[in-house]
Amino acid sequence: MVLHKRGVRNCTPVSKKLSLHLETKVREDVLRSENNNFLQILNQACSDHQSSGGMIRDVRDARGEFAEMCALEFCMSTGFLEYRKEFVKFAGGMETRSKVCKEGLLGGFQNCQVTLVEDKLLQRRLQKRPSLQGLDAHLFPNGPKPREVIEITGEAGTGKTLLLLEFIKKSILPIRYNEFQIDGLEAEVVYMNCDHHFNIFKLVSLMEDYLSRCLLTPDSDLIEEIISTSLKRLTVFNIFDSETMMTTFHLLSNLLCMNSNISLILIDSISAYYWQDAMIRGIRKMDLYVLTVLKLLHKSIKDFQVTVIFTRPQYFQSKSGVECSPVYDLCKINTSIHLQQRIRDDTKCNIAEVRTCSAMMVVFYEILQNGVVWSNLIIKGDVSNYGAKLQWSINAQGFHREIQYNLEISDYGTRHECSMLAKQVIPHSLYVNKDQLEDLRRLKKVTAVVNDFVDTEMPEDVSVPHDVYLFSILNETDNILTSNIYLPIHVRYHSPQPGGGFQSAILSPPEIYVICTQFPMNYSTGSQFPCFHDSTQLCEYHQLPYEIDENLLEILVPVGNSDHFNTVVLITYFVTIAGVQELDVY
């Protein structure tokens, strides 16, 4: 075949044979010897591999055509490349690879150190970063999540940049400083200052006001010390043109590799250089431009567990807008926050519409001297369609409570003979008793169903949330549909903590669904749920947007003081001994 200039046909079979031999024979032998003559067997395997490469080279030298047809690179170095691919990158992780490289047993195999560097970079990319859970409970009840992309839009004066400063404040402040509980996130932030609206003095003012309320005895020196330490977690890039932005994107990869505490990247604003880029690159559609910039950013940070938040003006979007994606891949928008001013009850107010791929809510807020102040008034669903209001509260005391729901629907149009289904998520710190619900259902007091298994004896730290479905008939009174129901809940055992005190059990608002004999055509799409609590037949319910006064309900749970562990053990021991001796007397 070489004489007939068909040497290229020899390349693929030889490469496959090498790979098969390394995979089925050499690799297995070396891995089995990892704890027994590992270095000796590895060295011998490498030597044999080099010898086989030399034999192939001799065949090549017999006719020059082979080198020309097969590519000299294969015969001279592909043997080492195959060895690296089949063994070095496979064998047993960092410790084995470090042993191989330190002993220099690969006879000039230069790619070994490259493999170790790749491993270290991969570890840095995948390692866990500080969580952003609790960045803002009003906007992100369960987030933001790693690799999530969030956009903030709004007219000038609605507080876009101020909201970013609030995020920075919460992120960079410590969780705890000495004996003071600060409740920050202790995460590092990268801020790309494209519009040059960033004001360090405003940020310090917000931090001073927050710390003065956190500290029991405000001390100016202590506040200055905390702020000085916290600001070290903030990196600000001043961006002056599109090229600077792209260069900064490129540098982010190295920055994130070197610093595993960076969890949040802020861009204010992403559209700052649209007109400049439109002239050069010809991208006219505004939404397409935003997605293009996100894709360029994605190339640098796609392997990192960070969250991206960017701003853009209200006018900077196409008529169709951008749909939110359910996939967190740092490439598409997952959450959209639209800040705007509305007239409500003849009063001008600020609202934030928060949209995801599956839900939408409206939060009212005010812009004050000390920052953004959120209202407890929350609207679940589209602000333009709400005609329902939910009032809920927690009754009773101790470890056994009740959630009381009062729903009113005033603008119900042509709906008749309506029923309601409320889906309430019970957090892992609470539980419902299925036997108790069965008794209440039999007595026709509460109609609630739990599909999941609920272990009532499980402690809080190993429990999981579960869903409860409450069914109720909507009664009509004075053109208002109403429903009053309650749900008994119980507090799980919480593990003791240093210093004792209390832990919080947080309840999020329920999802409300209704089913009626007649329904407006412009209402939400339907969801399938059982027609009745004991029915196997599914009916189409429609999710009801509603207004709620209290977004979250909190139960304070007393917990034990783990500092008293030894004392409690000693007292228990002596009491037990005394009790046993007393029993022996009788």
Side-chain angles (χ1 to χ4, degrees), residues 315-332:
Y315 67 83
F316 194 85
Q317 61 181 351
S318 305
K319 292 182 179 180
S320 58
V322 177
E323 293 185 358
C324 295
S325 170
V327 181
Y328 299 106
D329 58 0
L330 290 173
C331 192
K332 296 180 180 179

Side-chain angles (χ1 to χ4, degrees), residues 60 62 72 110 114 146 318 365 541:
R60 180 211 66 191
L72 179 64
Q110 300 298 324
V114 176
S318 305
Y365 70 96
Y541 287 77

Side-chain angles (χ1 to χ4, degrees), residues 52 203 234 260 320 405 490 538 554 565:
S52 64
L203 175 61
L234 174 63
S260 61
S320 58
Y405 303 92
H490 310 277
L538 297 179
E554 180 183 26
F565 176 79

Side-chain angles (χ1 to χ4, degrees), residues 2 59 171 209 229 245 288 332 387 394 402 434 454 458 471 481 487 504 534 554 582:
V2 172
V59 174
S171 299
D209 180 76
T229 304
M245 178 186 285
L288 179 60
K332 296 180 180 179
I394 295 179
E402 289 181 356
K434 297 181 70 172
V454 180
M458 192 74 71
F471 295 82
L481 297 180
L487 176 67
S504 295
D534 55 353
E554 180 183 26
E582 188 70 20

Side-chain angles (χ1 to χ4, degrees), residues 418-445:
C418 296
S419 299
M420 180 199 77
L421 182 148
K423 178 184 177 182
Q424 179 66 63
V425 178
I426 305 298
H428 63 90
S429 52
L430 306 172
Y431 71 92
V432 295
N433 191 318
K434 297 181 70 172
D435 294 332
Q436 181 185 18
L437 294 181
E438 182 67 30
D439 291 339
L440 293 174
R441 189 163 59 244
R442 179 173 50 83
L443 297 173
K444 298 182 179 181
K445 292 184 176 181

Side-chain angles (χ1 to χ4, degrees), residues 244-255 296-297 300:
T244 308
M245 178 186 285
M246 297 303 110
T247 303
T248 307
F249 285 173
H250 182 71
L251 294 175
L252 283 177
S253 178
N254 291 334
L255 182 62
L296 293 173
L297 176 63
S300 296

Side-chain angles (χ1 to χ4, degrees), residues 417-542:
E417 299 179 9
C418 296
S419 299
M420 180 199 77
L421 182 148
K423 178 184 177 182
Q424 179 66 63
V425 178
I426 305 298
H428 63 90
S429 52
L430 306 172
Y431 71 92
V432 295
N433 191 318
K434 297 181 70 172
D435 294 332
Q436 181 185 18
L437 294 181
E438 182 67 30
D439 291 339
L440 293 174
R441 189 163 59 244
R442 179 173 50 83
L443 297 173
K444 298 182 179 181
K445 292 184 176 181
V446 174
T447 305
V449 177
V450 182
N451 294 329
D452 303 323
F453 172 75
V454 180
D455 190 339
T456 59
E457 302 297 330
M458 192 74 71
E460 172 265 344
D461 54 345
V462 293
S463 300
V464 295
H466 50 280
D467 298 334
V468 180
Y469 298 90
L470 294 99
F471 295 82
S472 174
I473 300 295
L474 291 172
N475 302 310
E476 183 177 355
T477 305
D478 298 330
N479 293 326
I480 296 178
L481 297 180
T482 62
S483 176
N484 298 317
I485 55 177
Y486 73 95
L487 176 67
I489 58 173
H490 310 277
V491 179
R492 292 189 182 275
Y493 168 78
H494 286 59
S495 300
Q497 63 184 13
F502 295 87
Q503 289 188 8
S504 295
I506 304 297
L507 280 163
S508 299
E511 295 178 2
I512 305 294
Y513 298 87
V514 294
I515 181 173
C516 303
T517 55
Q518 297 183 26
F519 225 91
M521 296 301 294
N522 60 349
Y523 222 71
S524 63
T525 56
S527 301
Q528 297 290 324
F529 292 104
C531 298
F532 305 99
H533 70 276
D534 55 353
S535 173
T536 58
Q537 181 182 357
L538 297 179
C539 293
E540 186 176 34
Y541 287 77
H542 296 264

